[in-house]
Amino acid sequence: MISQSRLNRLRLRKSFVGYTAALTATVVSLAGGVGVGAQPASAEGAVAAARIAPADGPYPDPDPDLDPEVSAADIAADIGRGTEDEERGAASERTGTGKATPARTTTGDPRARGASVFEGRAFDTCHAPSLSTMRAWRSSPYGAVGIYYGGRGRACPKQPYLGPGWVRGARAMGWQMLPLYVGSQSPCVTNTHKKHVRIGARPWTQGKAEGRDAVRRAKAMAMAPRSALYLDMEAYNFHKKACARTTLAYIRGWSSTVRALGYLPGFYSSAESGVRHLETARRAGVNDLPDAMWFARWHMGPSVDKERALAGGAWQPHRRIHQYAGDVTESHGGRRMNIDRNAVDAPVAVVK
């Protein structure tokens, strides 16, 4: 989510220790597609005025067998034990039981499942700004903010302002939240600053463990069930088939767990890497894919409907975000910030 140039200026610290070595490598099978590419530079434009659509239906009850109260140590322990779970994830692909009609999660109005949908403009920035800055930016054209609330791959793990009080305070001002979880990254991630947090040899189990962590942290941030949580997967060389299989298994494990715990799994990546990869998986009929798609493609105007990596009906309606510019500086209300710009027609957090 953070642009390459900005990441190169950040000093990263390892915020997670000890993903243990695996006993067996996953054999989840899906051939990768073609092409990879980050989206540099920027594009200008505006989208329609922001509005929020209320929830209008129930979301499935959380799976009682999945405990969201996990710590970082629990994640490491989960990955270090239990080959049965990993083998089930692999077998679902080998036998075809992991395939189903993808429309369950990639089409249909998410409000029918209890989601709240925001349509308008959003910004995201590495550190959550102070509430006084958020108040000053109410004069901006933005109505939603992306917040990096968790995950061992965050470029800014220390967030001096971000907490449940910040989330409630910003929401009280009228802001909508787009929560971003920067977990483990693809084994073939192109960003050198993310190579220390690559997915291990048990991607399905690791994805499930980090999915539980994503939900636990969302609850701690006052974000209730039916909230959308977006997995940030930076650009990777998905034409490498072994890497594509590992990455997809992790994404599926994460998404299925977040969904089972009553939240909506979303996904962020470069349009020409992770997004195109998941579109390939969707066309192949793979299930356990994310409910919403956040794609980065700069050098073009803001549009959620014209992404060439996605079929016209994929992740529609109200399931898309377009990051159309990044690493830009703006001032509103006398406060200056470096941000990425987004056009949104997708689910947001439900703040309790």
Side-chain angles (χ1 to χ4, degrees):
M1 175 64 68
I2 305 300
S3 65
Q4 182 71 47
S5 61
R6 199 185 329 164
L7 277 169
N8 289 339
R9 298 197 300 268
L10 296 170
R11 299 184 63 186
L12 301 177
R13 295 178 61 187
K14 294 184 180 180
S15 59
F16 182 92
V17 180
Y19 276 106
T20 57
L23 298 176
T24 57
T26 183
V27 290
V28 177
S29 59
L30 177 74
V34 294
V36 62
Q39 307 299 328
S42 64
E44 301 295 332
V47 296
R51 61 185 178 88
I52 186 74
D56 60 4
Y59 194 80
D61 290 334
D63 186 335
D65 294 329
L66 292 174
D67 178 10
E69 300 302 324
V70 262
S71 66
D74 292 328
I75 297 176
D78 279 351
I79 296 165
R81 65 171 179 258
T83 57
E84 287 185 9
D85 185 57
E86 190 68 28
E87 290 172 355
R88 278 198 299 272
S92 72
E93 285 289 306
R94 288 197 307 270
T95 64
T97 58
K99 296 185 178 182
T101 304
R104 289 177 54 202
T105 57
T106 63
T107 60
D109 192 332
R111 291 174 297 184
R113 296 171 58 201
S116 291
V117 168
F118 172 79
E119 298 178 67
R121 296 182 67 179
F123 75 91
D124 63 270
T125 188
C126 196
H127 287 100
S130 67
L131 284 177
S132 62
T133 297
M134 294 300 293
R135 185 175 295 107
W137 270 53
R138 288 305 293 159
S139 63
S140 76
Y142 303 106
V145 56
I147 52 173
Y148 295 86
Y149 79 98
R152 72 186 191 113
R154 279 192 299 178
C156 299
K158 291 188 175 181
Q159 298 277 347
Y161 300 114
L162 188 58
W166 186 96
V167 171
R168 292 187 180 107
R171 182 68 193 92
M173 294 177 197
W175 289 101
Q176 301 297 332
M177 311 290 157
L178 295 166
L180 285 146
Y181 183 88
V182 192
S184 296
Q185 298 293 297
S186 173
C188 49
V189 62
T190 59
N191 188 333
T192 58
H193 293 289
K194 298 294 186 185
K195 292 185 183 297
H196 69 289
V197 291
R198 287 178 289 188
I199 300 164
R202 288 187 184 165
W204 176 266
T205 302
Q206 188 168 349
K208 291 184 69 174
E210 293 189 30
R212 289 192 290 271
D213 182 61
V215 169
R216 179 184 69 86
R217 294 179 183 277
K219 288 185 175 181
M221 288 285 176
M223 294 183 287
R226 303 185 184 90
S227 293
L229 308 179
Y230 291 86
L231 176 64
D232 183 326
M233 186 67 67
E234 297 296 315
Y236 56 97
N237 294 313
F238 84 103
H239 61 284
K240 295 182 177 180
K241 294 183 179 181
C243 178
R245 290 193 295 268
T246 295
T247 307
L248 182 61
Y250 170 86
I251 295 167
R252 292 178 62 229
W254 190 91
S255 297
S256 63
T257 300
V258 168
R259 184 178 296 114
L261 290 169
Y263 288 69
L264 280 76
F267 181 74
Y268 165 88
S269 192
S270 164
E272 290 297 336
S273 63
V275 174
R276 193 172 288 279
H277 183 201
L278 289 201
E279 172 66 356
T280 301
R282 185 196 67 81
R283 293 183 181 187
V286 174
N287 70 353
D288 295 328
L289 297 180
D291 288 333
M293 185 63 71
W294 189 338
F295 55 92
R297 188 182 293 280
W298 302 358
H299 293 302
M300 64 180 294
S303 172
V304 298
D305 299 318
K306 298 178 181 179
E307 173 47 46
R308 61 179 177 265
L310 297 173
W315 284 281
Q316 292 278 30
H318 308 303
R319 293 173 180 268
R320 292 188 181 188
I321 303 173
H322 176 199
Q323 185 188 88
Y324 61 92
D327 202 15
V328 297
T329 300
E330 292 186 24
S331 294
H332 300 283
R335 300 294 179 94
R336 187 177 180 87
M337 278 198 287
N338 186 263
I339 64 167
D340 300 328
R341 296 169 177 159
N342 304 275
V344 183
D345 182 7
V348 294
V350 177
V351 178
K352 59 183 179 181

